[in-house]
Every structure is written in C-alpha cells, then in structure tokens.
Amino acid sequence: MDLIPAPRHQTPYGTDDAFVLGPETTLTATPGAEGAARWLRGVLAAATGLPLAPVEPSGKDVIRLAVDDAVARDLGPEGYRIMAAPNSGVHVFGGSPAGVFWGAQTLRQLLGADAFRRAPLGEREWRVPTCQIQDAPRFAWRGFMLDVARHFMPKDVVFKYLDLMAAHKLNVLHFHLTDDQGWRVEIKRYPKLTEVGAWRERTKVGLRESPLWDERPHGGYYTQDDIREIVAYAAERHITVVPEVDIPGHSQAAIAAYPELGNTDVVDTSALSVLTTWGVNPNVLSPAESTLRFYENVFAELLELFPGEFFHVGGDECPKDQWRASRSAQERMQELGLEDEDELQSWMIGHFDHWLTERGRRLIGWDEILEGGLAEGAAVSSWQGYAGGIAAAKAGHDVVMCPQTHVYLDWRQSEDPEEPVPIAHARGLEDVFRFEPVPPQLTEEEAAHVIGTQANIWTEVMDAVRVLDYMAFPRLAAFAEVAWSDLPAADERDWPEFEARMRTHYARLDALGVEYRPPGGPLPWQRRPGVLGRPKDGPPPIV
Ligand code: ACM
C-alpha cells in the first residue's frame, strides 16, 4: 500500500482481495464528515469519472465517512480508522472532521497513483485493497513555511501547495508575507505597502557573489479577498494559515513605502527602495511609538483575515547598529530603563505579545526573540539549530522545531556542483527522514512544549514553481513522515523501507505534476552552473 506518511497500524488481509469502485458506488457522509466527503468526491470523481453519488446506499457498494466518538477517544481528534473489504465497502471513521479528512487522504493513496490525476485515462478498475488502518499524528503542528516575499508566488501556487500539504497530512502553512524584498498583502489603511512595497526594480540572480541580475521588475501581492480565499481553501483542508509579518528587521519593503518607519536620524530612509539583493540588512524599524501604532493597525487588519490562534512576528536577524547610532532609539531605551539594544527588541516584541494576547491570539517568533528576554506567552520557531528551542521549552514556552541544519528545504540536496540552488550545505532525502524534532536534552515534561515541527522554504533563488517543486520534493514527503508518523529514534529508522515506499509515492507526485528532484540527481534542464554562488564546504554543523 506504500502509504506516506506511514500510518500507525495497517493490516492488509490479502493482496488480491479488494473493494472495487463502480458506477453504482455511493459516497456518503454523516454530520461532521460532509466536508471531507465533498473534497474526496471532487478529487475521485475527476480522476475516475465515476459519479460517487451522495445518496444513502441500499447495499454494500458504499464509501462511508463518519465522525466517531470511539476513534476520538482511542486515537484523538486527528486520528482515523479505515476498514475496507469487498463485501462491506469502505468505512472511514475520524475522531473529528479533521480526522475524517486525513483518512480520506489515505483512501486516495490506497486507490493508486492515477487517483491523483485530474481526469480519467480511460476505462479501468479502481480497487481499494482489503485492509484495516488505524492512524493518528505524532505532532499537532505539522508545518510548512513558504516565503512569498523574496519571490512572489501567485495564488495558484499557494493552492497547489495547500493541496500538497493536505496530501501529506501537514496542517500549518506559515505564510512569510513580508521581507526586505517585498510586501505581499494588501493593507487598506496603508496602500503604499503594496503600491510601493510589493515591487522591486530588479533582482539579484543567485547568492551575493553571483554576478547575475534579472533586470526586470519583480513583484505581486495578495488582495484581502485573495487572502480570505486562501485561508478558506486551507480551512477546507484542515490547514491553519499562520501569517508572518517580520519586525523589526527584514522590513525594508515597508520602510521604502513609508520612510518614517525607519531610523530617520541615522539614514535617509526616503532614499531606500525595496531591496534587490539578499542577506541580513541593516535598515530596520525604529522603536518609535508611531511605528508601534502603524504595525498595530496592520496587525488589526490581518487578524480579521487570519482566524488562527498564532500570529508570527518574525524577530530574526535584526542588526542593532542603527539603534546604537540613533539618538531617538537611545533616548527610548533610557526612558524605558533598558540596558541594551537586545532588550529594546525584546520590549518591542513584548509590546506585540501583550497586544495580541489582549485580542485572544498568541505571538510566535524566530528564536532571536529569546535574546533580551522572552515575552510571556510567546512561542518560538527554533531555526538556528535546536538551542533556542531547548532554552524556550525549558523556560516553559511552546516551540516549533525547524532547525536550518535539518529542515531548511532551500539548502541544496547534494554535493553535485550543478544542483540548481547552491545554498549552504547538502541535505538529502535521508537526512530529512532522520530528522528528530525532540532533542534528548529535554525531559518528558519539557518535550511536551515541542508542539510540532516545520520545514521552511526561503525563495531567494526560487523564482518559479518548478524550482519550488524541485526543492520541496521529495524532501517534504520525508518531513511529513517525521511530523506525522510514530518513527523510532533517528538512527533506528528503516531507510530502505522508506525508499521503497517512496518509489510508489513518486508515481503519485508525477500524477500531480510535481517536478521533484529525481532520486538519481537533477535532470539536465534542472542543472545550473556554479555562477549563482558558492555553497558551503564540509558537512553541515549540527547545533
Ligand atoms: C531565518 O531563517 N532567518 C528565520
């Protein structure tokens, strides 16, 4: 059956025995399961050409979806149970509507790779092998971060990735919406954020040392209606969208649009434009009251669009040089009785922590928000290795483990000098498969604060969906197994068994039109010469 991610338990009865779908097969749902049924009928009717009518069946020729209290009790809300047999049909019981939906995803995999196509290839038999499956996720937060700031990804790409996340039982889209190189969400009160901030003059092609430029302007943004549509599309797939608006660093696109947001007593911020190169950037927000009010107004509009519990405020890579040089920033620190610039950043993050908490939300930020003291209810995305996550969990804060050394899917996939994206160190499929989100330094109680894990894609060198596909897959499939499945310790994981299952999974990805990196290395058209920048030497540091 080669399911990915692997379920907790599966019992096939026999290889030839199967429930066979036909023109009379009905697909019914009890209350709570209608959404999953609507989704399943949509994809299976397209792939098979069968009507799968939503009527109560008279006989055994049925696919039935239901929410079930016993499953909720035994396997939790996201758990599900599947029973398939020729003389009783296919039953998918979930612990909640989400559990039913994950079960429906598994059922699609059971039907074979062609169930992932958008239209039937011709007449054929559709079989669900006789089996019993019981399944539930390891982590509640199974995230994927998509950076649409460095390269704008049109709405269609976001829908494609939401579908791919759902197919892999991932349930949090961390949507990196703003950065130095672009602001990607309409804010009604501040139209220049997108009129100015969504566009850059040209783009560095490759890393800093690359001599290449794309001289065309680049940009784009989502209207508020686009965002509502994306959030609703995600919700139908039991995915929560967590927006990220990066403060106080990674903010040059906003400063280019509204120069008063920057440190105007240090640099002429009116001369700044949306950044065209990559890397950590000195032009950061000023800590003035007016800046706080501006971002409160921005966040207020976004809270209307994103109903999830968490709101990501970035907080990473904020050089403090401008604050050190700024008289008004220094006066601010004195006024607040702060010792240093790290405390000033903490104070800013703390301000938004209170602001969000008052509105019933929770702040999450990159692990730099630990420097200078972590705001009370804040959660941490641990990206600089495990250390930040360990410190945060030990202090009783919730953590999403996403160490760059393991699950940054912008890192290149092999030592081949013609890997198309030359970032950092080589991390292949097996490295991701062996990623363990919970470090041994944590006690059981502390480990409970690791609410989940996330794979991150930064798109500096990814200007199109083909490159995104190449970098995300197949590694996101291995990541999904880490986030969902009940795997043993990293060095005890059965890599050959996973590789064998992946062979079936590649056919599903092919049917979906995902241009993943083939196991044998990049195809000729995917190869790029080394001019885009130098990758780092040696094995990746483990921190
Ligand atoms: C990050 O990679 N700067 C969060």
Side-chain angles (χ1 to χ4, degrees):
M1 299 193 289
D2 290 347
L3 299 170
I4 287 195
R8 287 216 180 158
H9 303 288
Q10 58 187 78
T11 0
Y13 284 157
T15 44
D16 294 337
D17 218 13
F19 171 78
V20 180
L21 277 65
E24 305 303 321
T25 305
T26 60
L27 196 162
T28 66
T30 57
E34 301 97 333
R38 200 163 40 244
W39 174 84
L40 186 64
R41 182 177 303 108
V43 295
L44 293 189
T48 64
L50 298 171
L52 301 170
V55 293
E56 259 315 306
S58 48
K60 60 190 171 89
D61 199 3
V62 59
I63 299 172
R64 192 196 299 267
L65 273 50
V67 176
D68 186 277
D69 288 344
V71 173
R73 195 182 54 238
D74 298 346
L75 296 166
E78 290 196 285
Y80 67 89
R81 193 172 279 152
I82 295 180
M83 291 184 294
N87 49 11
S88 56
V90 181
H91 298 261
V92 180
F93 300 110
S96 71
V100 180
F101 183 73
W102 304 131
Q105 292 291 343
T106 297
L107 175 54
R108 189 191 196 185
Q109 292 198 6
L110 291 172
L111 281 160
D114 286 342
F116 289 77
R117 294 185 186 273
R118 267 86 164 175
L121 301 184
E123 289 290 314
R124 58 160 281 181
E125 198 173 72
W126 293 94
R127 300 160 62 85
V128 181
T130 295
C131 63
Q132 283 195 23
I133 295 171
Q134 286 200 59
D135 201 6
R138 178 176 177 199
F139 291 107
W141 179 306
R142 305 180 297 280
F144 172 62
M145 191 215 73
L146 182 59
D147 168 14
V148 292
R150 271 50 177 275
H151 278 100
F152 178 64
M153 297 292 163
K155 201 168 66 172
D156 262 3
V157 176
V158 180
F159 293 141
K160 171 176 177 171
Y161 270 75
L162 287 167
D163 282 335
L164 285 167
M165 287 175 67
H168 293 83
K169 302 188 173 73
L170 301 176
N171 69 346
V172 179
L173 174 66
H174 172 164
F175 209 15
H176 185 78
L177 285 166
T178 72
D179 216 299
D180 298 312
Q181 296 85 1
W183 183 284
R184 304 287 175 225
V185 54
E186 176 189 29
I187 301 296
K188 303 267 190 210
R189 188 175 177 134
Y190 302 117
K192 285 194 286 184
L193 284 172
T194 44
E195 284 168 15
V196 174
W199 304 95
R200 61 176 180 259
E201 284 282 297
R202 62 179 191 154
T203 297
K204 168 62 65 97
V205 179
L207 305 181
R208 263 154 294 181
E209 62 268 34
S210 158
L212 304 180
W213 290 88
D214 183 338
E215 294 292 351
R216 300 169 298 178
H218 174 85
Y221 67 92
Y222 311 104
T223 66
Q224 294 202 349
D225 277 347
D226 289 337
I227 294 286
R228 286 188 188 92
E229 185 186 1
I230 287 167
V231 168
Y233 192 87
E236 285 172 357
R237 286 153 185 75
H238 297 275
I239 295 170
T240 303
V241 185
V242 175
E244 181 189 351
V245 170
D246 212 332
I247 61 166
H250 287 287
S251 301
Q252 189 165 319
I255 298 169
Y258 293 94
E260 62 271 27
L261 295 173
N263 294 288
T264 51
D265 61 348
V266 180
V267 280
D268 176 11
T269 53
S270 67
L272 293 175
S273 47
V274 177
L275 199 65
T276 57
T277 56
W278 316 117
V280 177
N281 172 37
N283 296 306
V284 304
L285 297 178
S286 89
E289 278 299 320
S290 54
T291 305
L292 302 186
R293 294 295 90 72
F294 183 99
Y295 274 84
E296 286 168 8
N297 292 330
V298 168
F299 289 6
E301 288 193 30
L302 294 176
L303 292 191
E304 294 292 316
L305 300 173
F306 295 96
E309 180 185 13
F310 282 99
F311 191 97
H312 207 293
V313 299
D316 58 322
E317 299 179 320
C318 177
K320 309 293 187 319
D321 305 310
Q322 290 188 354
W323 290 353
R324 273 188 277 275
S326 159
R327 244 182 82 175
S328 64
Q330 292 298 316
E331 280 170 11
R332 186 93 169 130
M333 279 167 50
Q334 276 196 343
E335 193 182 291
L336 295 164
L338 302 175
E339 299 264 306
D340 59 23
E341 291 75 17
D342 283 345
E343 287 193 7
L344 186 58
Q345 165 153 344
S346 276
W347 170 81
M348 274 183 93
I349 299 292
H351 172 83
F352 286 105
D353 183 49
H354 290 144
W355 190 91
L356 286 164
T357 304
E358 273 173 17
R359 284 156 184 79
R361 307 298 183 96
R362 288 182 67 191
L363 177 144
I364 183 165
W366 301 110
D367 49 68
E368 287 94 330
I369 68 170
L370 285 155
E371 293 159 14
L374 189 53
E376 209 175 313
V380 168
S381 306
S382 187
W383 77 277
Q384 301 179 97
Y386 287 97
I390 292 170
K394 284 188 180 294
H397 292 267
D398 286 343
V399 173
V400 174
M401 277 294 182
C402 49
Q404 58 174 342
T405 43
H406 296 70
V407 281
Y408 264 35
L409 303 187
D410 56 332
W411 284 29
R412 66 203 164 95
Q413 303 191 61
S414 80
E415 300 290 352
D416 185 332
E418 292 195 353
E419 281 290 349
V421 177
I423 289 176
H425 301 278
R427 300 302 284 176
L429 184 63
E430 182 171 355
D431 297 314
V432 177
F433 175 68
R434 294 197 188 279
F435 164 55
E436 173 48 53
V438 178
Q441 292 92 332
L442 298 181
T443 64
E444 206 170 308
E445 195 181 327
E446 291 160 355
H449 284 295
V450 180
I451 57 175
T453 182
Q454 185 170 292
N456 297 337
I457 285 231
W458 302 99
T459 57
E460 286 94 331
V461 200
M462 293 175 225
D463 57 354
V465 66
R466 303 187 86 170
V467 195
L468 197 59
D469 280 3
Y470 180 92
M471 296 308 287
F473 287 97
R475 292 184 294 184
L476 202 60
F479 173 75
E481 181 117 340
V482 168
W484 177 280
S485 305
D486 197 18
L487 293 175
D491 54 357
E492 290 166 24
R493 293 180 191 168
D494 190 346
W495 167 245
E497 189 275 337
F498 178 74
E499 260 192 315
R501 263 186 295 129
M502 276 304 291
R503 282 199 283 278
T504 301
H505 201 64
Y506 286 123
R508 297 180 190 126
L509 297 177
D510 283 329
L512 284 169
V514 177
E515 294 189 283
Y516 55 85
R517 181 188 188 278
L523 300 172
W525 71 266
Q526 291 165 327
R527 294 182 174 273
R528 308 265 318 244
V531 294
L532 299 190
R534 276 190 319 279
K536 297 191 170 122
D537 294 328
I542 305 294
V543 286

